[in-house]
Structure formats: C-alpha cells, structure tokens
Amino acid sequence: MTELFESFTQGFPKRKFSAGLLMAFIDLYLELGIPSKGLSSFEELLGVFPRQTTTAAGKQANTLIVEREDGNTISLRPFYNAAERFFRAEHKRFDYPSCAPHATQAWGDYRHWLDALATFSEEELQTLRGMIADFVLTELKSQAFEPSSVKREAPLFQLFLEGFDFSAKTKKGEPTGAAYQGTVFGFLRADNPHLQIEIDKVRTGSKRLQRVGDIDGWDGARLALSAEVKQYVLEADDVPDIAAFANEIGRRGGLGVVVALGFGEGARSLLEELGVKPLDLSDMLRIVELWDPLKQRTAISSLVYYARHVEKNSSLAERIEAFLETIEQQT
C-alpha cells in the first residue's frame, strides 16, 4: 500500500486527476466485493468480471466497464464523478481539474494500480482511500467563499427611504416638499445615469424655467423622462391637476412619472389613463432593494447635493446628514 501511495503522490503534480481515478478504482472494487474474491491481479478480476468494450448504446467504451456476475454492467465513470464532486463541490478544491471524460479514458495507464488493488483487503482499500483524500485536501488550497472576507456596505438609500421623515408637515426652516423632491432626484439620477437630470428648488415654477416637470431627464436635446413630485398622498380628486403635465410629456414622447408618498383609491388607474406612471415610496423601495452599494451611494450623494447646492437649505441638509450619520453608526 505504501508503494502505491508513493507512486500516486509522485505523479499527482502533473496529473491531478489521478487522485479521483485512484479513488474511483477503490470504490469500484469495493462495489464489486473484490477483497473477498482472493484475486492476485487485474487480469484475474477480468476473468470474474469480463470487460465490456461497448457501451449500452453500442458505442466504443473508452472507460472501464465490466460485467457483474448477474449479467448487469458497471462503469468506472460514476465513481470518478463522485470523487470529482468530493474535491470540487464539497471541499471547494477548484484547482482539482474538471475532466471526467479525459480522466476515465486514461484508466489503462494505471493497470499496475489495478493489479495492486486487487490484492488489498477491504480495510486496506478504505485506509488508502482516506490517505488519498487527505493528501489532496492538504495539497490543494480551499477556495470556499468566506463571508467574513467581504466588507459589506449598508444599503444607505434603502435605509433612508425606510426611515426618513417625509411627513407633509413643514419642518422648521425647510420648504414644504423639498425633502421628497431631493429624494426623488437622487433616485432618478442613480437609476438613469445615461440621462442629464435637471432640478431646481421647490416652487420655482417649471413653466417659467421652460421645463415640463419638477425633475426632467434629458437625452441630448430630447426629453426622455419627467417627474412631478408630491410630498403627500395623492387622491383621485387631485388627478385633474396632472393633466397638463401628462399632455406635455406625451406630446414630447417622453416617460412621465408622478411620484407621491402614496395614492388614494382610484388615483393610480386615473393617472395611468392619462399616460403617466404612478410611483410612490413603497414602489421606490422595491426598486432600490435591487440596487448595488455603488448605486445606493450615488442616490445619497445626489440627495445631499440637492439639499446643499440646489435647495441651499441648511436645515434640510443638516437633517439629512444627521439621519445618514445615525444609519452609519448603526450598521
């Protein structure tokens, strides 16, 4: 057994698949009950279990297939597949090659192993099998994923949407609607990096600025996207006020979005009849949950930019930054 194991270890660096092949030989012999047959060579084994040179499909057999005493056949390939799964799938030794067809076709190069194994007891076969497995697991580095090696970033924009106070009541020193308008700006800018996203202070007046909505997204000279932002629950009775916006964005062939904190009964369907898409806080959350950390950071930085450099409102900016600081301390 020692001589066979040394032969294996010497050849392993150049033919790593030989580990799985040797384990497959052992498992095949154990399945056939070879230790109890009193055999002295592989040729004697073939006298009891004749080799089959064709597959069940009638093709030439490249792997080792023998006929059992009951007339059924058994192939080396399933045993090799199991050994390969053991190293690669179960123990994440991905430096072990994935080459089952090549490995099992090479069985004829190892007839001296097959000769020696035919003389081993069941205990010796099991011991050798364990030695092979231990050797490979020691020689090849595990490439198992280690969660602790990955630094996880908090989904900042998602947490902001979930916890920030967007109540319609005016916060001290903040223009009504500014918090939500800045949030929608951050959302649209992160979600549409291919567009130029334009925004101004709340209550600036879109018409006076020759814009369509509160937030416009441009693809060159074409208006691709426009959003009206409502920091309250939009009811069905409020929908007629959206008609002019819907007509203008429709005329330009762009996508119109009405973003509210929520929608009352019937409001969504009425907006869709106007040709615009209703989007509320919960809708944004479902989308943002799919974002990667970079996209989340882009939305947050855009929101802070809006508060500091567009709205230029220190109360709003400080409330946003204080909330973000709380999030970062908790994650």
Side-chain angles (χ1 to χ4, degrees):
M1 182 170 65
T2 301
E3 184 178 344
L4 195 160
F5 183 69
E6 288 179 354
S7 171
F8 154 67
T9 57
Q10 289 172 5
F12 177 77
K14 292 184 178 180
R15 306 187 87 181
K16 292 183 175 62
F17 69 80
S18 63
L21 192 60
L22 183 50
M23 288 174 66
F25 289 160
I26 293 171
D27 290 342
L28 174 65
Y29 276 27
L30 289 172
E31 176 66 22
L32 292 172
I34 298 303
S36 65
K37 302 297 183 182
L39 305 176
S40 60
S41 69
F42 179 58
E43 286 301 322
E44 286 189 15
L45 182 150
L46 294 181
V48 181
F49 304 100
R51 182 188 167 207
Q52 304 300 295
T53 57
T54 58
T55 66
K59 297 181 179 180
Q60 181 180 350
N62 294 319
T63 188
L64 176 61
I65 302 174
V66 297
E67 182 181 345
R68 290 177 180 267
E69 293 169 311
D70 61 4
N72 293 318
T73 60
I74 185 169
S75 170
L76 179 68
R77 178 64 179 271
F79 297 104
Y80 183 86
N81 290 344
E84 188 174 284
R85 285 195 301 273
F86 173 81
F87 292 125
R88 291 179 57 85
E90 295 178 32
H91 291 279
K92 308 298 185 291
R93 278 6 186 229
F94 297 119
D95 289 326
Y96 183 88
S98 177
C99 61
H102 171 73
T104 53
Q105 287 177 27
W107 71 269
D109 296 339
Y110 297 92
R111 294 180 74 101
H112 58 297
W113 286 1
L114 291 164
D115 278 333
L117 292 172
T119 67
F120 285 14
S121 67
E122 180 175 348
E123 182 180 357
E124 288 174 324
L125 289 176
Q126 294 285 11
T127 298
L128 178 59
R129 192 185 194 283
M131 291 167 62
I132 298 163
D134 290 343
F135 173 81
V136 175
L137 296 182
T138 300
E139 287 292 304
L140 302 183
K141 185 178 179 180
S142 173
Q143 297 180 47
F145 172 68
E146 178 51 60
S148 62
S149 66
V150 178
K151 183 180 179 181
R152 297 181 179 273
E153 289 191 42
L156 291 179
F157 196 63
Q158 177 185 334
L159 295 172
F160 184 85
L161 291 178
E162 291 172 343
F164 193 74
D165 182 8
F166 291 111
S167 62
K169 182 180 178 181
T170 303
K171 300 296 179 182
K172 184 177 180 181
E174 292 182 24
T176 304
Y180 201 47
Q181 181 157 302
T183 300
V184 176
F185 168 69
F187 171 81
L188 293 177
R189 186 170 181 274
D191 208 41
N192 299 275
H194 59 295
L195 300 180
Q196 298 296 324
I197 306 297
E198 291 186 349
I199 189 172
D200 282 286
K201 295 182 178 182
V202 291
R203 298 192 297 278
T204 299
S206 300
K207 290 183 179 179
R208 181 165 58 82
L209 296 172
Q210 297 183 331
R211 290 220 320 272
V212 175
D214 296 318
I215 306 170
D216 291 338
W218 295 88
D219 177 15
R222 182 180 71 89
L223 182 65
L225 169 71
S226 188
E228 279 286 285
V229 182
K230 307 298 180 185
Q231 191 169 309
Y232 52 81
V233 175
L234 191 141
E235 302 291 347
D237 292 344
D238 300 318
V239 173
D241 297 334
I242 306 296
F245 165 75
N247 180 65
E248 182 63 18
I249 189 65
R251 187 177 69 82
R252 292 169 178 259
L255 172 65
V257 184
V258 176
V259 190
L261 286 179
F263 294 99
E265 184 176 356
R268 282 182 180 271
S269 58
L270 290 173
L271 287 168
E272 289 171 351
E273 288 175 9
L274 289 177
V276 296
K277 300 295 183 182
L279 196 72
D280 65 12
L281 191 57
S282 60
D283 295 326
M284 282 197 292
L285 261 172
R286 280 193 292 272
I287 296 170
V288 170
E289 285 174 353
L290 302 177
W291 286 4
D292 60 72
L294 178 59
K295 204 167 183 178
Q296 303 252 357
R297 290 199 307 272
T298 299
I300 287 292
S301 64
S302 300
L303 166 60
V304 173
Y305 163 80
Y306 167 81
R308 284 290 183 188
H309 299 287
V310 178
E311 199 63 49
K312 296 182 179 178
N313 185 274
S314 59
S315 295
L316 174 61
E318 289 168 5
R319 190 161 73 93
I320 291 170
E321 290 163 2
F323 184 83
L324 293 173
E325 186 177 346
T326 300
I327 291 175
E328 291 175 350
Q329 290 174 351
Q330 294 175 348
T331 56

